[in-house]
Amino acid sequence: MRTLRFLLRKEFRQIFRDKAILTLIFVMPVIQFIVMPLAADYEVRNVNLAVVDNDKSTYSQKLVSKVIASGYFKLQGYNSSFKEAFQLIESDKADLILEIPQGFERNLIREDKQKLFVAVNAINGTKANLGGAYLSSIIGNFNADIRMQLVQQPRFSQFPVIDVVASNWFNPALNYKVFIVPGILAILVTMIGGFLTALNIVKEKEVGTIEQINVTPIKKHIFILGKLIPFWILAMIVFTIGLILARVIYGIIPIGNLLVLYVFIAIYLLTVLGFGLLVSTFCDTQQQAMFIMFFFMMLFILLGGLFTSIDSMPYWAKLITRINPVRYMIEVMRMVILKGSGFQDVLPQMGVVSLMAVILNGWAILNYKKTN
Amino acid sequence: MEAVVVENITKTYGKGKVLAVDNVSFSVNKGELFGLIGPDGAGKTSIFRMLTTLLLPDEGSATVDGFNVVTDFKQIRSSVGYMPGKFSLYQDLTIEENLNFFATVFGTTVTENYHLIQDIYVQIEPFKKRRAGKLSGGMKQKLALCCALIHKPTTLFLDEPTTGVDPVSRKEFWEMLRRLKKQGITIIVSTPYMDEAALCDRIALIQNGKILSIDTPDNVTRSYPANLYAIKANEMYRLLKSLETFPDRLNSYAFGEYAHATFRSEKLDTAHLEHFLTDKGLSGIEIKRIPATIEDSFIKLLN
């Protein structure tokens, strides 16, 4: 016990003495936490639109101004021919072309129907898709408005109408930040904990200090505990800072019990740190450790359900996400913070993560050899 | 009483491709200052690492204080002191913190064994608040020695403690070892410097993982089989070339400002050699008989 206390004191001394690392531990996540959710936004805005108006009528004018007024589109060109507009797409100035045919107004009023042509530049898939969808719905609205004006509605509609009204639970305004912030916090904590642990032990190997430790009677598990606890505490602090920032900057107040959140993250951090430890036992240099950690972090993050939904992944990818601790962390963060889930609800995730913690740490202790 | 016994120990690296230690046996008495002398890559560090339980031998067995290095590694770890060739203390901790840390790790305190390190520690004490990484080479070695001694080890393993240290500090370091020896600590030290070998009680000359000879430094030099001459002239390179053509020559090599040479005949005709060298266009010739040094013995053993 005395040895462990001394190991911890030594570890903290070293951490607080390395000013560069210390700054990095606290400033880096804070900056990322402020920049990322604001910049990495799913909502597509500023879709560049080129309009080819072959009709030049009041209605076509109305349609165009309605589209622009939606705020999602930026008019890049009001062209007289499709060819001209297409050049804008080719030079990457426009993402969408809306072509209004000649006789738009006349046909719309007389014949009750008219076709519009929308060409989409699909290089940026998300932008094109969402832009196209926005445009269709705006045109649909426009159409409905005109019908209202032109047609005397009978008392009862002749056609049965199903009107779908959606209500967004847990995130009523479909605010993207509410959805992304807990996930980003999960990833930041993972990165801080994982990287620091992996690099720390490898650094001792690189500098040679581990040699001096290995000839001492220190027990393996004491040494590893001495490495785990400091970074566990640091990651907890980073997590707390993140929660405060989420509240101050994004106004996200966890609906669920904070205790549930902290109990889960305490176990989850053991998993992440155990993973870092395991990597460190396989590596001899900080470079190796860095690259291996980076490789896994990328996988964890991309397959963690932060940016893309796990449900829409192919079957094999879904299987991989089952052994991805980050996935469970993001799930629980969203469940507890946004939905207010309690202990009962996060038990499955807690079980899986606990199992991972035991396996990874056990493996790391077995694999850390004082003799080779 | 023997402190360290090594029997037919063999170690290979890279799945048997590189033979680092080849069937080595030796023993070190309690309280002895034993030197492993050999060039870089001779296998000294591998032997040290096996004796300090950091490396498992492929074959053979070894004991330290009667404890087997493979099965009783726990006892060995708490009773030996090891100073690796590379400075391995925490560079970002101060002298004081390093010392306290290692004392605690061994379950003791600095005050308990202060008498052991006092001589050495007073020299670095003025800098005790300085970080280990900012110390000079000599001070680092003194600190490392303190840390290796703080738990009152029975046996001290010092792997090339003076490599890269200035001559004055080297001399001081060896004086410290002599004083430690008086306290009854067994010391095993490795060094590539032949002049340091003379300061050990016994030395083992080691080359390519094999021990060439084990004896006291005096016996090693005394058993030098031929008469050794030191020869000096105005041009070293031409002198060496000329010596090679001298019919009576057995062996010759540069040794500082002199060339050392041995000859076949029992008694060298110095006048004849001087005449021979003058004929080769050399001047300022000086020839004298000298006693062999350890380095001469080592070179002799290598040939």
Side-chain angles (χ1 to χ4, degrees), chain A residues 14 17 204 206 211-212, chain B residues 49 82 90 92 97 131:
Chain A
Q14 288 185 302
R17 217 156 267 185
E204 294 230 13
E206 226 177 52
E211 195 89 315
Q212 200 87 61
Chain B
R49 288 173 54 93
Y82 174 45
Y90 290 100
D92 43 1
E97 286 162 354
R131 291 186 196 177

Side-chain angles (χ1 to χ4, degrees), chain B:
Chain B
M1 199 33 199
E2 280 150 343
V4 176
V5 180
V6 177
E7 276 167 356
N8 309 101
I9 233 171
T10 300
K11 178 74 198 177
T12 56
Y13 294 113
K15 297 196 176 84
K17 276 190 207 121
V18 183
L19 187 61
V21 179
D22 187 5
N23 200 17
V24 162
S25 304
F26 64 89
S27 62
V28 180
N29 297 322
K30 270 219 159 71
E32 196 176 18
L33 177 52
F34 187 86
L36 275 178
I37 318 292
D40 294 339
K44 301 184 299 274
T45 302
S46 296
I47 294 177
F48 270 90
R49 288 173 54 93
M50 282 188 279
L51 289 177
T52 49
T53 76
L54 290 175
L55 200 63
L56 294 172
D58 293 348
E59 279 164 47
S61 67
T63 59
V64 177
D65 292 328
F67 296 119
N68 187 290
V69 291
V70 181
T71 51
D72 309 322
F73 62 91
K74 278 189 183 149
Q75 284 90 334
I76 294 181
R77 280 180 188 161
S78 42
S79 70
V80 306
Y82 174 45
M83 189 173 143
K86 192 181 159 203
F87 182 71
S88 326
L89 301 178
Y90 290 100
Q91 312 241 9
D92 43 1
L93 296 183
T94 65
I95 288 185
E96 216 178 9
E97 286 162 354
N98 265 304
L99 201 55
N100 275 321
F101 175 71
F102 282 101
T104 316
V105 160
F106 280 102
T108 178
T109 58
V110 175
T111 40
E112 202 172 308
N113 293 316
Y114 188 69
H115 62 278
L116 265 181
I117 59 162
Q118 192 175 12
D119 279 352
I120 312 160
Y121 190 60
V122 287
Q123 301 177 40
I124 51 172
E125 204 172 9
F127 314 103
K128 66 182 180 185
K129 297 277 180 222
R130 197 181 285 184
R131 291 186 196 177
K134 301 252 186 279
L135 295 173
S136 70
M139 283 202 273
K140 275 184 182 164
Q141 294 308 83
K142 282 170 194 160
L143 174 60
L145 187 58
C146 285
C147 288
L149 277 170
I150 196 63
H151 59 292
K152 201 172 194 294
T154 55
T155 314
L156 197 55
F157 292 92
L158 308 172
D159 191 5
E160 302 203 3
T162 53
T163 301
V165 175
D166 67 273
V168 178
S169 297
R170 264 172 65 188
K171 202 159 168 290
E172 277 177 11
F173 197 85
W174 278 89
E175 276 160 19
M176 286 187 278
L177 293 191
R178 293 224 147 264
R179 280 199 293 271
L180 287 174
K181 202 188 94 123
K182 283 199 189 107
Q183 310 233 28
I185 296 174
T186 313
I187 302 171
I188 302 183
V189 59
S190 76
T191 177
Y193 300 122
M194 303 292 166
D195 54 328
E196 292 181 344
L199 304 167
C200 299
D201 293 335
R202 281 197 307 147
I203 53 172
L205 296 177
I206 178 166
Q207 160 84 355
N208 291 334
K210 277 200 175 75
I211 289 194
L212 305 173
S213 105
I214 305 177
D215 216 329
T216 63
D218 281 349
N219 282 343
V220 168
T221 51
R222 208 173 296 142
S223 63
Y224 195 76
N227 288 329
L228 186 69
Y229 291 87
I231 303 156
K232 195 178 167 182
N234 58 342
E235 266 181 87
M236 175 58 93
Y237 182 68
R238 199 192 287 183
L239 172 65
L240 286 171
K241 280 280 161 211
S242 309
L243 279 171
E244 274 168 27
T245 60
F246 189 67
D248 200 25
R249 164 197 173 266
L250 205 57
N251 193 13
S252 58
Y253 45 86
F255 198 100
E257 54 176 337
Y258 289 91
H260 280 190
T262 52
F263 301 93
R264 279 194 192 86
S265 42
E266 195 66 26
K267 184 95 183 71
L268 174 73
D269 186 352
T270 43
H272 176 60
L273 176 62
E274 195 172 338
H275 191 72
F276 175 82
L277 293 175
T278 324
D279 276 356
K280 293 276 178 190
L282 289 156
S283 59
I285 295 160
E286 193 188 322
I287 302 172
K288 57 182 180 186
R289 252 211 79 183
I290 49 155
T293 65
I294 300 212
E295 190 163 347
D296 294 310
S297 307
F298 196 79
I299 291 168
K300 177 82 194 161
L301 283 168
L302 290 187
N303 288 328

